[in-house]
Amino acid sequence: MRAIPMEEDIEMVREKLPIFSAKQEILNAFSKHKTLIFVGETGCGKTTQIPQYLLEAGYAKHKSIGITQPRRVAATTIAKRVAQEVKTELGSKVGYSIRFENVTSPATKIKFLTDGMLVREATGDKLLLEYSVVILDEAHERTLYNDVLFGVAKNAQRVRRERNLMPLMIIVMSATLEAQHIASYFDNAPAYSISGRDYSISILNASKPQPNYVRSALVTVFQIHQNEEEGDILVFCTGQEEIDSLVSETKDTAKCLPAGYGQVHVCGLYSALPFEQQTDVFNPAPVGTRKIIFATNIAETSITIPNIKYVVDTGLVKAKTFDAKSGFDILRSRKVSKAQAEQRAGRAGREFDGFCYRLYTKEEYNNFKEQTEPEILRSNLSNVVLQMVALGFNSIKDFDFIDKPSVENIVAAEETLKALEAVVEVKGNLELTPCGKQMKTFPLDPKFSKMICTSIKYKCTDEILTIISLLSVDSVFYTKLSDKENFDLVRKKFEAPEGDHIMLLNVYKQFRKFKGHPEWCKENYINSRNVRKAIKIRKQLSLLCEKLDISPCSSSCTLQIRRCLTTGLFRNTALLQGKVYKLVENNQVVKIHPSSSLFKSKNLPSCVMFTELVQTTEVYMRNVTYVPEELLVGVCSSYFKTKSCRLSTMKPLAFVSAF
């Protein structure tokens, strides 16, 4: 979001955008076609201006204009910018809807949403009747729900036409896009190209491969700072831990610079960062100070950070990859595509001539894939399949995907939902069970939704809502690398012998007891913003529970709480075999993540459940809790009977006395 200095300058700023010269041509295209594709370079103004052109042309008289974004930060910041340009209060004529936050009203005509939220809306409105126009922005990213929306919007457009309902206009937009592929899918819809870069970008590649890209990024930043003219620096990193580390190292290194070099203002940008801290990257640095921003690929598209002259591209991005054979999503780093590399470089040419320093050679770049692999081809589809069944698409294999996922991935998702008792197969078609109808209501992974739905049985709904809410935000703790030893000592007061999920409960209880007092949070390394965000999420989930008649109930018995957790996490389990853990699902060797309270446990539990797997040099289990084997088998004996492990022949016990 680029700051606009004065209200009277808004129209002048809009008219200076490259897209303005094509405004009449765009309006003519609107009048002739119901499906359009716009390919416009980063910075041309398509994301902020096209919704306004549609509004001004009367396309939102009776309905709304919906614009999807792949990330929450983009949806919120762009909505704020457009509201400023439309001269309306955010949430009035212009608003946004993201998971657990809806800033709209009956007066809203331009609505920014994450693509996942529009899919959720479609479960209750399959024909998208709230909208006269749906704009699918940043289509080149090919996110999981963006691909689903292609099919949902195309179907809604066709059915509305057949039933003589108000027509639905579909607009697909991106900076770098295989336009012909998208055009063919939408029955050869016309594609328009919008030119839009006023400044040149010089690309500088590494002369040889960089084995330690993090160190190379740090060195490059200070080479720029010491040798190049003024202008801010944007560095693309893979994730939060990496960014926090680089921010800390950059600040420390800057203190050691010889006299005569300007000051630096260092900040990070990633989706889990509280909104107040995210906005810091948009604020101008003090005079004589260079701003250095370390960001994930959240800064690739839609968000415009002002005054960026230098981009440092590591060439890597962190993404989840699903393995149908193992049944798990694994978070790992991978090379970007050429399209992503171009997007990143484009962030340097927004306001003046810029430079992109690529920490990879030209030869490495030539081996990158042309386009980003669609997320739907490499993701766990269980939540997508659940939402699609709720949409009425009972035979997922027959859905009109623009790029069809493998049969193995679809079958794996269906089997997961069957194991969670969310769907049943009737004459070759999937149908929601009563439990599945409840599960699809929650904007959560199906395994978490299942826990909420079964929490009444175990009389621990309050505790389950708390745990899931805290898992839905980033870490409730914060620490500096230099202060880790003291942090480890302080965290022990919250730790529980059962593991991380119960530890989260302890943090929540103490936070409420001390009313989130700033001094208490500081002393205990508690990220108060994340905990408060979790409290808001918990309230939203509680309201959904009320609608489903899931009554609040509480239990102090951690065994009951863990029993309920296993109803969703029974596939996310590992057994201690000798000195190593092996997944029950496929016998893969895994380790407890260093961030877990069980990491340094002297007596490792024989059986654990976890929330997710993360791969670096090893495969780690994150958010780990001990669960007695007999309890695990008692919750889902039919699943474990099919596995080649000691649980397959174990008899479940009705009660287990161990902690």
Side-chain angles (χ1 to χ4, degrees), residues 349-460:
R350 304 299 294 265
E351 299 173 74
F352 24 63
D353 293 343
F355 299 84
C356 178
Y357 294 77
R358 290 176 170 170
L359 304 183
Y360 44 88
T361 65
K362 287 184 178 180
E363 290 73 22
E364 288 177 305
Y365 172 80
N366 290 334
N367 289 326
F368 287 176
K369 293 180 179 178
E370 290 293 333
Q371 296 288 332
T372 305
E373 183 183 18
E375 192 177 357
I376 203 161
L377 301 183
R378 53 181 169 81
S379 295
N380 183 340
L381 302 177
S382 56
N383 201 23
V384 169
V385 172
L386 180 65
Q387 297 299 330
M388 291 179 69
V389 174
L391 279 163
F393 299 105
N394 304 102
S395 181
I396 309 304
K397 299 181 188 68
D398 298 330
F399 183 76
D400 186 14
F401 289 105
I402 183 169
D403 286 299
K404 203 173 189 67
S406 69
V407 173
E408 291 79 10
N409 280 17
I410 294 176
V411 170
E414 292 176 349
E415 292 304 315
T416 296
L417 293 175
K418 290 175 183 176
L420 289 169
E421 300 175 329
V423 300
V424 292
E425 192 166 344
V426 180
K427 296 180 180 179
N429 290 328
L430 295 179
E431 294 183 5
L432 293 179
T433 63
C435 181
K437 290 177 181 177
Q438 288 187 321
M439 287 169 62
K440 63 97 174 174
T441 304
F442 297 99
L444 299 166
D445 186 290
K447 60 179 177 281
F448 295 132
S449 302
K450 178 61 183 288
M451 296 175 197
I452 296 175
C453 295
T454 55
S455 62
I456 290 183
K457 177 180 178 181
Y458 299 105
K459 297 180 172 58
C460 59

Side-chain angles (χ1 to χ4, degrees), residues 56-309:
E56 293 163 4
Y59 285 88
K61 282 184 179 178
H62 307 293
K63 303 288 182 179
S64 302
I65 300 164
I67 312 98
T68 66
Q69 294 294 320
R71 296 178 187 82
R72 291 172 292 176
V73 175
T76 55
T77 55
I78 297 168
K80 186 176 181 180
R81 165 69 181 271
V82 173
Q84 189 178 15
E85 293 188 4
V86 175
K87 301 175 184 177
T88 184
E89 184 179 346
L90 186 63
S92 181
K93 188 178 290 187
V94 179
Y96 67 85
S97 177
I98 61 177
R99 194 169 75 137
F100 301 120
E101 190 175 355
N102 185 1
V103 184
T104 64
S105 68
T108 300
K109 293 298 182 182
I110 297 178
K111 181 177 178 181
F112 289 88
L113 315 86
T114 52
D115 40 27
M117 283 306 299
L118 187 55
V119 170
R120 291 193 58 77
E121 284 189 11
T123 61
D125 178 16
K126 186 176 177 179
L127 299 184
L128 303 174
L129 293 172
E130 178 186 333
Y131 303 97
S132 56
V133 183
V134 168
I135 302 175
L136 307 176
D137 198 9
E138 306 301 352
H140 84 280
E141 292 203 26
R142 298 298 301 278
T143 62
L144 188 62
Y145 288 109
N146 193 273
D147 271 28
V148 173
L149 283 174
F150 281 154
V152 170
K154 183 179 178 181
N155 179 73
Q157 185 185 63
R158 176 183 58 80
V159 174
R160 281 165 65 161
R161 182 175 62 248
E162 291 173 352
R163 296 182 182 177
N164 291 320
L165 299 172
M166 177 178 284
L168 175 66
M169 178 183 287
I170 300 172
I171 296 174
V172 182
M173 302 196 306
S174 181
T176 54
L177 182 67
E178 293 177 290
Q180 190 54 51
H181 184 45
I182 303 290
S184 297
Y185 177 73
F186 284 104
D187 303 318
N188 296 315
Y192 293 83
S193 178
I194 305 169
S195 60
R197 182 175 291 147
D198 295 331
Y199 304 99
S200 67
I201 298 171
S202 300
I203 305 293
L204 299 95
N205 285 87
S207 59
K208 59 183 179 180
Q210 304 295 305
N212 187 337
Y213 69 89
V214 174
R215 177 57 51 188
S216 297
L218 189 64
V219 170
T220 303
V221 162
F222 281 98
Q223 285 178 339
I224 294 170
H225 180 58
Q226 291 175 288
N227 300 315
E228 302 297 337
E229 63 185 27
E230 63 181 20
D232 294 339
I233 305 170
L234 171 62
V235 186
F236 283 100
C237 307
T238 64
Q240 177 187 345
E241 292 177 6
E242 192 175 283
I243 289 171
D244 289 343
S245 175
L246 277 165
V247 167
S248 178
E249 285 192 63
T250 303
K251 288 179 179 178
D252 291 342
T253 304
K255 294 175 184 176
C256 303
L257 288 177
Y261 292 105
Q263 298 293 310
V264 298
H265 175 66
V266 190
C267 45
L269 179 64
Y270 45 84
S271 61
L273 202 65
F275 182 73
E276 296 81 3
Q277 294 180 39
Q278 289 173 354
T279 57
D280 186 32
V281 304
F282 302 111
N283 298 325
V287 176
T289 301
R290 190 194 299 271
K291 187 164 55 177
I292 303 172
I293 301 154
F294 295 94
T296 61
N297 61 333
I298 193 174
E300 269 182 30
T301 56
S302 295
I303 297 175
T304 298
I305 301 172
N307 205 45
I308 297 297
K309 187 178 184 69

